[in-house]
Amino acid sequence: MRHGRVLRGRAEPLPFAVPPVDDSAVQEERLRRFAALWSRAVHPATSAPLGRAEFEQYLLPLAGRLRDALHAQPFDPAPGAGVGAELVRGHCTDPEALPLILGAIDAYLVLYCPPDSGVPADDCRARCTRLQHSLAAGFARELRERTLAEQEAISRAALAARAETEQALHTSEARFRAVFEGAAIGVGIADVEGNITDVNDALVRMFGTLDAPIAGRNVGELVHPDDAPEVWGLYAELVRGDRDHYRVEKPYYRGDGSVLWTDLTVSLLRDAAGHPQYQLAMMEDITERRLLHERLRHQATHDDLTGLPNRTLFFERLGSSLEPGSPHGHFGLCYLDLDGFKAVNDSLGHAVGDQLLVAVAERLRGCATAPHELVARLGGDEFVALTTGPAAQRDVTALAQRMLTALADPIRLDGRDLSVRASIGIVAGRAGEADAAEVLRSADITMYRAKAAGGNRYELADADSDARTIARHDLTNCLPGALENGEFFIEYQPLVRLSDGTVRGAEALVRWLHPVHGVLGPDQFIPLAESTGLIVPLGRWVLEEAARQARAWRNDGRCRVPLRVNVNLSPSQLRYPALVAETVAVLDNAGLDPSALCLEVTESALIGADEEQLRPLRQLADLGVDIALDDFGTGYSNLAYLRRLPVSTLKLDRSFTRGMQCVPADPVDVKIVEGIVSLAHTLDLSVTVEGVETGTQADRLRILGCETGQGWYYARPGPPERLHTLSLADAASCPRN
């Protein structure tokens, strides 16, 4: 067949895809093709008096409604229900019709009527599935209403026959038997004790061959484990005469042991005095419809790739286990993320990545086999496992360990062994203590804590760690607005020449005046700015403010010598392509000579840097900007490496001079500093010491040859005006500021 064919409700896909186009004539032609294929598949199973060509014309506007719903933004599957109802009205009521209808839609709707390229393929298929679900629901609803009308007609006929029996027994009995036996749905009669006295042939066919005939049995024998809790309560009310009818969906066992699902309506027949006398049961076989509903439900709640429960089903189970008063009592949750999965996708391709996820899912599925355990895939390489019950808080760690053990052996794909590592965050607690979003957030935070600890392990949730992470997240979200709102300010700490105690400059230290948390130091927000990329605009602002302040100091006659300003550069700023150009522009705008600026770069940022990475610093040094190597001694770099760095100053980390604050000084610290100073002077570098705390320490550093120092002995960081009033002539005898 040219366009593919449909056999028993399943469609063979075409060997090619039809690309979406904008031409309306082409789209209408494709819609007609879809309607033709739909008609060819469904018409043989209809009882419609129309020929196939006429039936195709009947389907054409319904096909248009499905296409429009598939394309709609936002998507709404509701039109599918109307299409299902119209198909019933068009006499598509044969039991084989619905699978053929859905099979044709599944095979050809997206193929011939695809949305525009803005809708991803997976989303497009999901829309088609939801339209089928809606159509099936509308089809079933219309068919139920149609059947109910028939049932009501039968009921009225039965009641009429009963009335006529009282008036003319023989005539009414014949009429009643004709209606009873000729009904297309199953009908049965029982007395108020539940003894079944009569059934029609349709009901017998529904149940198939049984060990004992239905007639003569008691209604109470037809119990099924999946009966709804309210079924037998309604039945008791009916036989007592407290209600006249009820309607439920009820399962029965057939003769072959299979399950028969029915739409059951039971009515109470009373005698002339109004006392309960008989029960009249009418049932429609809805097994196929029920199975279709279960298939669609499975598709909606399970992951297409791995077959595991998806996010929807997981949150349903998690939500029910967290409800106050839940019978589970306790819960335990494992949040698992594969370590380094992105590298697999990037190096081996997404097809191999998908195969790996399928293999991982299969191993994880084997870790949760108890009825109270569930493993699901949230998406990507993220999986979750849930356990409930009184021992959940103990069992969840064992479950996490089983998952890690299951992934310990390499997975073989395409002739190669792939090692799999995972990080797991565990949250456990009582029902009613938190909602699903809070539990999952805590598990996610804990999982990343396991990753930070090296991965391939699990960590238990900790409220304090969660609070710190959430606080960091809140600060990260506030950073962009803080820069726009002018919440940052700069304090300056003097740089003092040790030989005469004069101020030679100051280091610019940025602060954040947070509206809630008050003044925050750089260690609390600079790492966040680094991780979000905001460090580049923030660093530019600091440089501009510091340059303007340096210009102001130089224009002020109260300063005995020109003051230099030191500004810190982060690793991200060093990688910023416009660093040199923007630095030059800032100096020009401030009217500042490059020699008035010193850029401080941490030693760790330059370890292993190649010539391309050092080029911006060399260009700035060539322009006259001083480059200082900050925190020297903490990076464990090769001292010979200093020869190729474009630096003019070493800033010695305070950890090397702390032993000089007391008397006698630590001889090891003295020897280390003496060696570093000697090396620096050999390379024509000056030495600045951080963390000068006492006069004794300052004297020893001066004797060892250090040029400048900064620390609380001289002054704490403060506003720029303090450099005008700071008196250092008698610093040794003055208390700290």
Side-chain angles (χ1 to χ4, degrees), residues 176-194:
F176 176 77
R177 296 306 302 181
V179 172
F180 182 79
E181 295 295 345
I185 63 173
V187 182
I189 299 174
D191 58 26
V192 291
E193 283 77 29

Side-chain angles (χ1 to χ4, degrees), residues 348-427:
L348 302 179
H350 289 273
V352 175
D354 286 348
Q355 294 177 45
L356 180 62
L357 290 175
V358 171
V360 167
E362 191 60 32
R363 292 190 181 185
L364 296 181
R365 182 185 283 110
C367 297
T369 56
H372 60 278
E373 295 176 338
L374 171 75
V375 171
R377 181 188 179 211
L378 293 186
D381 61 334
E382 296 179 334
F383 297 84
V384 285
L386 177 67
T387 181
T388 57
Q393 291 177 291
R394 181 187 68 248
D395 293 345
V396 69
T397 55
L399 176 59
Q401 187 58 58
R402 289 201 302 273
M403 295 166 75
L404 291 175
T405 302
L407 299 178
D409 293 333
I411 295 176
R412 189 163 186 80
L413 296 175
D414 293 339
R416 61 169 63 90
D417 289 333
L418 299 180
S419 296
V420 180
R421 292 163 52 90
S423 298
I424 301 177
I426 297 177
V427 178

